[in-house]
């Protein structure tokens, strides 16, 4: 390159900008459903058709975009699928939820954790505790009750899998009569699921850990499957487990933000 | 911009090149599993770490890539998932198979078509005929037999769905004894499926249309599901339906190429 010292920084900036414009064209095509005419794509990204056409030529060259011979429309190509598949394969609920755990701990001073469905039941994989934590005997690696913990109930309400129902049936069969009496007599598990679904989160008060209340909301992956549950807990009395309370609202919002990081399309 | 006339064409070429380099970095990250260190990504794309770092900054800016705070590794971000999902949603087996149909017609001078699983059974959606076509009474819109057509057998062999088996059972129950006798007595449908799977394609000779032989192979989508079947047919005698013959090999290769367009990962 023969730019002089004066123009080199601008050229470098321009090169990065060009890459960004190329990505904006790619994202614009995705936003328009993966298929668009040059005119509508140019209007969407706010650039001239001539300029967008040059970027599309690059995207076609790299296999990310193809052009329909008949309609002349541009559409996302096979390389775009491969990039998406790689992104989905390495999308990690723990990484996606980490900032949420930190924010919940700092803003609400609550103990919070992320649980996934392990082979023994809902299992804590990441936990954050405030400076003055409540004393709970759960930590990363702990397997929680499907039926009596907030985390388990969130899986039960939002993850329609036979193993989830089987764990809940086991918990129900093993429960003493006074604990069973907390649930609906006719359809204990079905009614619980409907309540969780209606609230958009699961809440418990002293049902699993004595003196502890908790609120849990699901994380969804790109396929709309529940891949993890985000839970906040605290000492009953100093912790509001109401489904419309400050904590439940924050947990639901953080779970939704993490789901977006995992590729869930906003409804 | 204040480039003079002499440098403008180069600047324009460079801008497109920069977009292409950005896409190459994005594709490289996908090839490396969606997650890589700067060093390994730079080695993979064959550029200096300093240069790749600038492009990654652009990709991070556009949300296609994110950086792990702990390991400093780069990984494909939420926008990459969205682009992939849009690409998958609009991936179209008919469009992907069109060039294959034309090539089969021109190179082998055979009638060929693409069929999808419709609600009544395997249904032709696109057909190509050579200059001197064989006379067949099927066309776009025709529903084919699940059990007796090559297309149906390809779905039967490679698409494990209850409705596919149900259509085959219906065809078997409705068949006259001499036609049933062509299949295995103990396990007619199971044995047929195993044969098709072993051959990688389905072949028939006079079983569905009198005097017509055919060869059919499946198209897979990004999720590894059979989304369509590619079939070539001709007059028995002038058409080699052998699973290791020229036509079957061409049909399998074209079906594989179309599957790659639909995002199937090469095994």
């Amino acid at each position: 390159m023969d730019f002089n010292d004066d123009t080199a920084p601008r050229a470098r900036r321009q090169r990065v900008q060009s890459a960004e414009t190329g990505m904006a064209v790619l994202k614009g095509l995705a936003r328009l459903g993966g298929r668009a005419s040059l005119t509508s794509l140019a209007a969407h990204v706010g650039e001239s058709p001539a300029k967008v056409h040059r970027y599309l030529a690059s995207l076609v060259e790299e296999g990310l975009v193809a052009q329909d011979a008949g309609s002349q429309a541009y559409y996302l190509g096979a390389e775009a699928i491969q990039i998406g598949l790689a992104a989905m394969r390495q999308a990690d609920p723990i990484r996606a939820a980490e900032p949420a755990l930190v924010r919940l701990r700092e803003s609400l001073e609550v103990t919070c954790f992320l649980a996934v469905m392990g082979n023994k039941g809902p299992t804590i994989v990441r936990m954050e505790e405030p400076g003055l934590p409540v004393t709970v005997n759960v930590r990363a690696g702990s397997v929680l009750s499907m039926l009596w913990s907030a985390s388990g109930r969130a899986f039960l309400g939002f993850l329609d899998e036979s193993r989830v129902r089987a764990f809940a049936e086991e918990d129900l069969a093993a429960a003493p009569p006074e604990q069973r009496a907390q649930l609906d007599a006719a359809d204990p598990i079905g009614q619980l699921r409907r309540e969780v679904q209606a609230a958009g989160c699961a809440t418990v008060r002293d049902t699993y850990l004595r003196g502890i209340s908790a609120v849990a909301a699901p994380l969804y992956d790109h396929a709309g499957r529940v891949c993890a549950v985000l839970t906040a807990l605290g000492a009953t009395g100093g912790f509001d487990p109401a489904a419309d309370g400050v904590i439940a609202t924050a947990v639901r919002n953080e779970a939704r933000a993490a789901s977006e990081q995992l590729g869930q399309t906003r409804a």
Side-chain angles (χ1 to χ4, degrees), chain A:
Chain A
M1 280 198 284
D2 55 6
F3 290 111
N4 62 41
D5 285 347
D6 199 43
T7 59
R10 185 174 55 206
R12 196 148 51 227
R13 201 163 60 236
Q14 201 182 342
R15 256 156 80 184
V16 169
Q17 270 184 359
S18 294
E20 287 174 23
T21 303
M23 298 302 159
V25 170
L26 189 66
K27 282 161 59 180
L29 193 51
R31 294 276 188 288
L32 294 173
R35 185 181 181 82
S37 69
L38 175 59
T39 319
S40 57
L41 183 55
H44 182 83
V45 299
E47 302 279 2
S48 75
K51 182 173 178 183
V52 171
H53 185 264
R54 283 202 304 278
Y55 282 96
L56 282 168
S58 293
L59 290 166
V60 169
E61 179 68 27
E62 293 290 321
L64 284 146
V65 169
Q67 188 174 17
D68 193 293
S71 69
Q72 300 290 303
Y74 291 91
Y75 60 92
L76 292 170
E79 287 289 348
I81 297 182
Q82 293 308 326
I83 287 165
L85 289 174
M88 287 166 204
R89 272 193 295 269
Q90 63 77 50
D92 175 2
I94 302 176
R95 195 175 57 215
E98 244 164 35
L101 291 172
V102 171
R103 279 193 296 265
L104 287 174
R105 184 199 67 197
E106 290 182 351
S107 66
L108 301 175
E109 299 216 329
V110 291
T111 297
C112 52
F113 61 79
L114 191 77
V116 299
M117 265 303 292
N119 60 340
K120 299 294 186 187
T123 308
I124 299 178
V125 290
R126 188 90 174 72
M127 191 159 176
E128 286 283 336
E129 293 181 289
L132 292 171
V134 296
T135 305
V136 286
N137 63 349
V138 294
R139 65 186 65 81
S142 293
V143 176
L144 308 171
S145 165
M146 185 62 77
L147 193 57
W148 306 110
S149 76
S151 311
R153 288 184 178 186
F155 280 113
L156 189 59
F158 299 106
L159 183 61
D160 190 17
E161 286 188 3
S162 58
R163 59 177 178 156
V164 170
R165 288 189 298 274
F167 281 128
E169 296 284 357
E170 279 175 33
D171 285 350
L172 187 65
E178 67 272 20
Q179 201 171 16
R180 283 185 82 140
Q182 296 171 15
L183 299 178
D184 185 76
D187 182 13
I189 293 174
Q191 178 61 23
L192 188 57
R193 294 192 69 197
R194 286 186 289 276
E195 286 170 14
V196 169
Q197 287 161 5
C201 61
T203 62
V204 301
R205 184 189 286 259
D206 304 338
T207 59
Y208 181 54
L209 298 171
R210 189 182 299 271
I212 297 292
S213 294
V215 174
L219 268 67
Y220 293 89
D221 68 12
H222 61 89
R225 262 186 316 259
V226 173
C227 55
V229 159
L230 181 66
T231 303
L233 62 80
T236 301
F239 180 99
D240 177 13
D244 58 355
V246 171
I247 296 173
T249 302
V251 169
R252 277 195 307 265
N253 287 344
E254 289 289 0
R256 197 175 301 124
S259 299
E260 280 176 30
Q261 285 303 308
L262 295 170
Q264 195 202 13
T265 311
R266 198 191 278 267

